């Protein structure tokens, strides 16, 4: 249930969080260093993970910055991989899937360079694990359309958990993070 007060709180917290993260140029390097080193620690097969990283960089770049897109990125995005999916009580939820950023005009793209670069560096470790899981299960660019639900959600789950998973926590934590306590969910 959203009213004017909750919407106002949400927008104030959201702007504060963006000023500290996605709109902040210095956050790009700090976030990449943290997420990439975390991913090296959490992956189950380090050598395989490192071999998939250049491919993930290309796929994330194509998904965010080119009109051609990427089959991996499109699947990842359609599953809610960009901050819109979470597991709770053993159930996989997808909420408010946002489209990729392919149809922007030049001015809007220019204004979003820093947020897009932040998005890119944040998604590289996740995309690497996503691709690694899919390919380990026998899927690649040519047969992604045949993917089953269990494999897709396993790949997304592994991708979410390779770095700090912002979607873990209870419904209370997510509500408090949304309206009152910025960055509460990563601390839980």
């Amino acid at each position: 249930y959203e009213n004017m007060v909750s919407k106002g709180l949400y927008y104030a917290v959201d702007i504060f969080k963006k000023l500290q993260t996605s709109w902040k140029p210095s956050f790009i390097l700090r976030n990449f260093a943290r997420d990439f080193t975390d991913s090296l620690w959490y992956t189950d097969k380090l050598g395989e993970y490192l071999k998939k990283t250049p491919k993930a960089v290309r796929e994330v770049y194509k998904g965010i910055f080119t009109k051609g897109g990427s089959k991996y990125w499109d699947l990842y995005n359609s599953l809610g991989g960009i901050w819109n999916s979470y597991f709770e009580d053993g159930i996989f939820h997808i909420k408010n899937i946002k489209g990729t950023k392919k149809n922007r005009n030049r001015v809007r793209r220019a204004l979003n360079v820093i947020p897009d670069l932040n998005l890119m560096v944040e998604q590289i470790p996740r995309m690497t694990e996503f691709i690694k899981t899919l390919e380990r299960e026998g899927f690649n660019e040519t047969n992604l359309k045949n993917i089953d639900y269990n494999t897709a959600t396993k790949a997304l789950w592994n991708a979410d958990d390779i770095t700090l998973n912002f979607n873990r926590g209870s419904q209370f934590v997510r509500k408090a993070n949304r309206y009152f306590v910025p960055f509460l969910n990563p601390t839980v």
Side-chain angles (χ1 to χ4, degrees):
Y1 179 75
E2 296 216 2
N3 59 35
M4 285 191 338
V5 173
S6 66
K7 283 183 181 179
L9 288 170
Y10 167 76
Y11 288 119
V13 168
D14 188 54
I15 288 171
F16 174 79
K17 289 193 287 189
K18 286 178 179 176
L19 285 169
Q20 300 305 312
T21 58
S22 63
W23 293 346
K24 191 174 190 177
S26 64
F27 189 71
I28 295 169
L29 293 175
R30 191 175 87 210
N31 193 38
F32 181 73
R34 186 196 65 227
D35 284 353
F36 190 70
T37 55
D38 281 355
S39 70
L40 297 176
W41 180 259
Y42 292 121
T43 189
D44 61 341
K45 302 273 185 181
L46 182 59
E48 188 181 346
Y49 181 85
L50 291 172
K51 286 179 188 173
K52 302 290 182 200
T53 300
K55 182 178 197 172
V57 171
R58 286 190 304 274
E59 297 299 314
V60 172
Y61 178 84
K62 287 192 301 188
I64 295 173
F65 294 107
T66 69
K67 292 184 180 180
S70 150
K71 289 181 182 178
Y72 283 116
W73 178 262
D74 291 344
L75 176 62
Y76 180 73
N77 193 26
S78 72
L79 291 169
I82 307 174
W83 62 70
N84 293 307
S85 62
Y86 62 97
F87 283 86
E88 181 175 58
D89 302 324
I91 300 169
F92 179 67
H93 301 271
I94 298 176
K95 52 183 182 167
N96 302 327
I97 296 174
K98 297 179 182 178
T100 56
K101 301 175 179 183
K102 294 178 191 171
N103 298 319
R104 292 195 192 148
N105 64 36
R106 288 183 180 161
V107 172
R108 191 164 179 204
R109 277 196 318 256
L111 292 174
N112 284 294
V113 167
I114 298 300
D116 284 350
L117 287 172
N118 266 310
L119 176 63
M120 182 178 174
V121 300
E122 186 167 294
Q123 296 306 318
I124 288 169
R126 292 183 175 110
M127 180 59 69
T128 303
E129 191 67 20
F130 186 74
I131 291 170
K132 181 173 76 78
T133 302
L134 292 176
E135 291 184 357
R136 187 183 292 166
E137 297 291 325
F139 292 94
N140 57 44
E141 295 98 335
T142 61
N143 64 356
L144 284 178
K145 64 182 180 224
N146 301 323
I147 197 164
D148 61 280
Y149 177 80
N150 289 336
T151 302
T153 55
K154 178 181 177 182
L156 189 61
W157 174 257
N158 289 346
D160 277 350
D161 264 3
I162 199 67
T163 64
L164 178 63
N165 186 345
F166 288 91
N167 293 314
R168 285 199 176 229
S170 66
Q171 189 173 10
F172 171 77
V173 170
R174 277 194 290 281
K175 293 285 184 193
N177 181 69
R178 181 180 177 129
Y179 298 113
F180 303 110
V181 187
F183 307 112
L184 176 64
N185 60 343
T187 62
V188 172

